[in-house]
Amino acid sequence: RQPPTEIGVICGEILYGLRSALDHLVTATATRRGVVVIERTGFPIEETREKFEATLRGRKIEDRLPALATVLKGLRPYKEGGYDGFLWWLHWLNGMEKHKVIVPMVGTHVGWKYEFVLKALPGFDSSREHALKFPKTWQYLDEESITLFVHPLNTEIEGEMNLNLNVTFRDIETPHPWGMVDTLQKFVDLTRDILATFEEQFFR
């Protein structure tokens, strides 16, 4: 079954709170150093390093708050940057949540580990090489059944297979799906890490 709708609402609230905390952190840093904040002050997170550096220049952060610009550059808040891209995906998911319910981005996957031996059935050629075919490592559980593996009719399988069910963010472009609870915890952890960095640099 698909995850209940409430999960999407809760995820959206968590994402919004964490992303807003980063924006308030930059605003507090700016005002503490005497910079009058009017608009477009929040924590800059962009898809590429080039866009991020352009944002620093466009908002005059480098000119007016060079120490803040140095800290932000060190965090590398862009898709291929620091925290293995988690800052970008926090920003991206939060932006998506503003435009649609986040539930369509959460799906259930199934993964498996196996230790199989493929053997020819009695009466068939055992010297022939047989192929055991697997689909991609993770599949969405939709209304139709999924395929775990395919083997020739003249063979049998001996061994074990363990299934792993997880609720993940559907649209995050990563090699392996990110489990929802683990990902939210990482978002919380990185926000705390950034807060600690700012406290050390600007609020002591």
Side-chain angles (χ1 to χ4, degrees), residues 23 26 40 44 118 163 191:
D23 288 338
V26 168
R40 299 181 64 202
L118 191 63
L163 296 179
T191 303

Side-chain angles (χ1 to χ4, degrees), residues 93-122:
L93 284 172
N94 178 64
M96 291 296 294
E97 192 271 336
K98 288 184 173 67
H99 303 291
K100 65 178 183 179
V101 180
I102 206 169
V103 168
M105 300 166 60
V106 182
T108 306
H109 287 65
V110 58
W112 56 90
K113 295 181 180 180
Y114 61 89
E115 294 181 2
F116 287 151
V117 176
L118 191 63
K119 295 183 177 181
L121 290 171

Side-chain angles (χ1 to χ4, degrees), residues 98-161:
K98 288 184 173 67
H99 303 291
K100 65 178 183 179
V101 180
I102 206 169
V103 168
M105 300 166 60
V106 182
T108 306
H109 287 65
V110 58
W112 56 90
K113 295 181 180 180
Y114 61 89
E115 294 181 2
F116 287 151
V117 176
L118 191 63
K119 295 183 177 181
L121 290 171
F124 290 93
D125 183 6
S126 61
S127 63
R128 179 182 174 188
E129 183 176 349
H130 299 288
L132 184 63
K133 298 180 180 179
F134 291 86
K136 60 184 180 180
T137 305
W138 288 84
Q139 292 178 298
Y140 286 106
L141 286 176
D142 298 318
E143 294 181 359
E144 298 181 1
S145 300
I146 65 169
T147 300
L148 296 180
F149 56 86
V150 179
H151 67 96
L153 289 174
N154 60 341
T155 63
E156 63 179 356
I157 291 176
E158 292 183 0
E160 296 182 352
M161 178 177 64

